[in-house]
Amino acid sequence: MLFRVLTIMLFFCISTADAREWTIGVLALRGDAQAQAHWQPLADRLNQQLPDEHFQLLPLDLAAMKTAVAQNRIDFLLTNPAQYVQIDSHYPLRWLVSLRSSHEPDSSSRNVIGSVILVRADSDIYHPQNLIGKDVGAVSPEAFGGYLLGYKALRDAGFQPEQDFQLRFSGFPVDALIYLLRDRAISAAIVPTCLLEDMQAEGLIHAADFRPLLAKPATIPCLTSTELYPNWSFAALSQVPDKLADNVTRILLSPVGQPDLLWGAASSTSQVESLLRSVNQHPQQPQFWQQIVDWAQAHRLLITVITLILLLLGANHIWVAFLVRRRSRQLEQLHQQLRSRENALEHAQRLSILGEMASGFAHELNQPLSAIQHYADGCAIRLRQEQPDHSLLPILGQITHQAQRGADTIANLRLWVGKQPAAHSATQPATITLPLHELLHHLWQLLGAERHHPPCQLHADIPLSLTLQLPPTLLDQVLCNLITNSLQAGARHLWCRAYQHESGITITLQDDAGGLTKEQLSQPFTPFRSNKGDGLGLGLVICQRLIRSQGGELTLLNLIAANRKMGLQVTLTLPLNSIKELTFATDSSG
């Protein structure tokens, strides 16, 4: 019996000695001891299923992994897909299988690698903006399921981690970052997705002491701040025989094995490669940029000369653009001035023609008006001699009065076009005393405002004793024009108020006809502009010049009337005892 036992032990020792040694390089994310304990069941399974081969684990960090591959010290590779892409660009690998999720009941998800940006639960940091200038920890600038994914998430949020934060790279194991954050040595930590939950399950920390920034929904029950990428994969290097690679693949895909190490078909690396390119970490990118850097260092003098030339050309371009822009503005200003002068000249020509026509009309109308007045006076004298109380005498008196009124209006018209009036007769004074209250009611009845369509109501607040010294018919013309404008605009009410103050007399007329537009108010006294179909646009111009001839002023303003409707308020300001002769400036400002 003892002989048989010794024989079996000897056979086992001989078989073990004859077995070939195969080394599996494992990325020791959480340290060598944890990696050895976590992945040893994988090596035991392969040793059991392939007794003629012997597999052993070699925990490595990122830099050591690349060195081990370059020195052919490992035969199989167990790491994240980003490192696979980086190593495969230099050394050919065969991607055999990929891990499935160990955090889901059915392990259906392939994408489980991500990053979560953690802060303490009692921290006052609730947005990456609050991290600017503070310490942020990560394992390594090349760590895929840590810094790189977190870097992309922060960059997509509008930040530049290498400039905005004080980055601290602690190296492996990654658990140290959680402890640094717990002890307030750093303000935030960028760690792999599910590390917090795993350490909680192992009783190392309390997950409630931490919370994520930039939290993102995920298909796995783990906190994450980024999108999820394919899980770790198992690869064979070029020296591994095809038959052994096939046997290893078949064993790992078998459903028998460790429950938390479930394998499936190898995942595509296209998603990972796209991310590496977006963060300038793809193995093909550094070579290109390195060539540029090397060439730039070798030709520094040439680059300096080219840079100076470009700067000079740029400065010259900016100076020329400035000169062109300044000249363009000057030409535009000159163009505007020419247009303004053309408009002023056109208005002056129109006023000159109108003045000549008005002067001619006044000269031609003076003769028949004088004849009408003389005939009326002669008839009145003869009738008064025959019958002092003849019924036609009042009518002849009205004819004489209206003929005189027409003559006064023509005199004002001649003054408006720049003609000085002839000397007044002894019976016709240069100025007359005008009781304003009586004048307003006389004009209101003369215009038939209450019979106008629509009818308009007058509200007058004028002291009975208020009088003005003005040339004949001047105020008649102004008030008649202003009241007519309000009636034609559809006014239902017209408020007239007058009062005397230290500097003169102010008369205001306020209607409820809607007022003027902003454009009309900006230039109300421009000749030949009218919103009436048959208007000439001269009414307000004449009124303004007549008032200014007496040292007064006329202003327009849109204002809410007493009945809460919008209307136009016209304000006339005249000096006390105005006895000036009517004179007008010939410029185009009025």
Side-chain angles (χ1 to χ4, degrees):
M1 183 66 180
L2 180 60
F3 177 75
R4 292 183 60 185
V5 172
L6 292 174
T7 303
I8 293 173
M9 292 178 62
L10 181 61
F11 176 78
F12 177 77
C13 291
I14 294 173
S15 299
T16 303
D18 292 340
R20 295 184 59 184
E21 294 286 342
W22 303 102
T23 302
I24 303 174
V26 179
L27 181 62
L29 186 64
R30 299 183 60 188
D32 293 353
Q34 194 276 345
Q36 189 74 42
H38 182 75
W39 296 106
Q40 187 59 44
L42 171 66
D44 294 342
R45 181 182 176 189
L46 293 176
N47 287 329
Q48 181 183 2
Q49 296 290 329
L50 300 171
D52 295 336
E53 314 291 346
H54 182 258
F55 296 87
Q56 62 181 2
L57 297 176
L58 179 61
L60 301 166
D61 60 19
L62 291 170
M65 181 78 75
K66 295 179 181 179
T67 303
V69 171
Q71 297 175 354
N72 290 325
R73 291 171 48 216
I74 58 176
D75 307 293
F76 292 93
L77 190 64
L78 185 54
T79 185
N80 62 60
Q83 193 175 35
Y84 163 76
V85 171
Q86 293 170 341
I87 293 177
D88 188 56
S89 64
H90 302 285
Y91 307 97
L93 299 175
R94 285 176 289 175
W95 216 231
L96 303 182
V97 290
S98 295
L99 273 175
R100 295 294 184 260
S101 171
S102 61
H103 293 272
E104 293 178 321
D106 56 357
S107 302
S108 60
S109 175
R110 295 183 179 184
N111 287 17
V112 295
I113 293 183
S115 293
V116 59
I117 305 171
L118 293 176
V119 296
R120 288 179 55 89
D122 58 358
S123 171
D124 59 353
I125 298 172
Y126 292 93
H127 189 272
Q129 181 74 28
N130 306 131
L131 282 176
I132 292 180
K134 297 183 178 180
D135 291 336
V136 178
V139 174
S140 165
E142 297 180 357
F144 178 65
Y147 177 72
L148 290 182
L149 294 180
Y151 170 87
K152 183 177 185 301
L154 291 170
R155 192 189 64 180
D156 292 344
F159 299 92
Q160 294 294 332
E162 66 272 22
Q163 300 176 9
D164 297 334
F165 313 133
Q166 297 293 329
L167 296 174
R168 291 180 56 183
F169 296 106
S170 63
F172 292 112
V174 71
D175 299 27
L177 287 172
I178 300 293
Y179 298 136
L180 289 172
L181 181 60
R182 180 195 63 186
D183 298 337
R184 304 181 188 274
I186 56 177
S187 300
I190 306 175
V191 299
T193 298
C194 293
L195 174 65
L196 183 68
E197 290 77 9
D198 290 343
M199 294 180 69
Q200 162 85 6
E202 296 168 10
L204 300 176
I205 58 167
H206 295 288
D209 294 340
F210 308 91
R211 56 180 169 82
L213 290 182
L214 301 177
K216 192 177 185 67
T219 57
I220 60 176
C222 298
L223 298 176
T224 182
S225 302
T226 67
E227 294 183 8
L228 298 180
Y229 291 80
N231 205 345
W232 285 27
S233 296
F234 195 92
L237 275 72
S238 59
Q239 66 268 24
V240 176
D242 292 342
K243 183 177 180 180
L244 178 59
D246 294 341
N247 289 334
V248 170
T249 303
R250 183 170 57 254
I251 293 171
L252 295 181
L253 290 177
S254 173
V256 179
Q258 192 176 0
D260 58 347
L261 293 179
L262 298 179
W263 301 89
S267 302
S268 171
T269 61
S270 59
Q271 184 183 7
V272 176
E273 293 193 56
S274 177
L275 178 131
L276 292 176
R277 287 191 175 92
S278 68
V279 296
N280 295 323
Q281 291 293 326
H282 196 279
Q284 296 177 357
Q285 289 175 309
Q287 295 178 359
F288 172 74
W289 291 111
Q290 189 61 44
Q291 291 176 359
I292 294 179
V293 171
D294 294 341
W295 184 89
Q297 291 179 348
H299 301 83
R300 282 179 292 182
L301 180 60
L302 177 61
I303 291 177
T304 303
V305 173
I306 294 176
T307 303
L308 291 175
I309 293 175
L310 292 177
L311 288 175
L312 291 175
L313 290 175
N316 181 69
H317 174 75
I318 294 173
W319 175 248
V320 171
F322 168 75
L323 293 178
V324 171
R325 184 175 180 83
R326 185 176 66 177
R327 185 58 179 169
S328 299
R329 287 198 299 265
Q330 293 174 348
L331 291 175
E332 181 65 23
Q333 292 175 355
L334 291 175
H335 180 66
Q336 293 294 339
Q337 292 176 1
L338 287 175
R339 290 184 60 183
S340 299
R341 291 178 181 178
E342 288 178 359
N343 293 334
L345 179 60
E346 183 180 352
H347 285 160
Q349 291 175 343
R350 289 184 179 182
L351 288 174
S352 176
I353 294 173
L354 181 63
E356 293 178 3
M357 294 174 59
S359 179
F361 290 155
H363 177 75
E364 295 298 330
L365 290 176
N366 263 333
Q367 300 301 324
L369 284 175
S370 297
I372 291 172
Q373 186 177 8
H374 290 317
Y375 281 127
D377 290 343
C379 290
I381 292 172
R382 294 186 62 179
L383 287 177
R384 194 175 291 110
Q385 290 175 352
E386 296 177 0
Q387 184 179 349
D389 59 349
H390 198 282
S391 59
L392 291 180
L393 286 174
I395 298 175
L396 292 173
Q398 287 294 330
I399 292 174
T400 300
H401 176 71
Q402 293 300 326
Q404 182 60 48
R405 188 169 182 273
D408 293 338
T409 302
I410 289 174
N412 291 340
L413 182 62
R414 289 175 62 84
L415 291 170
W416 184 79
V417 298
K419 302 292 185 179
Q420 292 297 325
H424 288 277
S425 64
T427 60
Q428 185 62 37
T431 62
I432 61 173
T433 301
L434 300 174
L436 184 58
H437 186 274
E438 294 181 8
L439 175 63
L440 179 63
H441 283 277
H442 172 71
L443 292 175
W444 190 258
Q445 293 190 1
L446 182 65
L447 293 173
E450 295 181 350
R451 301 185 302 275
H452 192 271
H453 181 75
C456 186
Q457 185 177 356
L458 176 65
H459 307 274
D461 182 12
I462 302 174
L464 297 177
S465 60
L466 187 60
T467 59
L468 295 90
Q469 293 287 332
L470 290 171
T473 72
L474 184 145
L475 193 58
D476 300 38
Q477 288 180 256
V478 174
L479 293 178
C480 192
N481 189 289
L482 297 176
I483 294 173
T484 301
N485 285 345
S486 295
L487 294 176
Q488 292 178 350
R492 297 296 185 93
H493 296 271
L494 182 68
W495 291 266
C496 182
R497 181 170 175 262
Y499 58 92
Q500 182 174 328
H501 45 84
E502 294 181 357
S503 58
I505 294 175
T506 297
I507 305 171
T508 61
L509 285 88
Q510 167 80 50
D511 62 30
D512 59 352
L516 298 179
T517 65
K518 184 177 180 180
E519 182 181 0
Q520 291 171 337
L521 274 179
S522 64
Q523 294 181 328
F525 304 113
T526 302
F528 308 109
R529 287 188 180 181
S530 176
N531 57 351
K532 303 174 185 177
D534 55 350
L536 293 176
L538 293 172
L540 289 176
V541 179
I542 295 175
C543 291
Q544 184 199 45
R545 292 197 174 190
L546 289 175
I547 294 300
R548 284 185 173 179
S549 71
Q550 300 304 301
E553 190 57 67
L554 185 150
T555 59
L556 306 178
L557 177 67
N558 282 337
L559 203 64
I560 301 295
N563 60 354
R564 299 183 182 278
K565 294 184 178 180
M566 179 61 70
L568 180 68
Q569 176 180 284
V570 183
T571 302
L572 307 176
T573 304
L574 290 166
L576 287 174
N577 299 323
S578 176
I579 56 174
K580 296 181 180 180
E581 290 292 332
L582 283 172
T583 58
F584 296 88
T586 58
D587 60 76
S588 60
S589 63

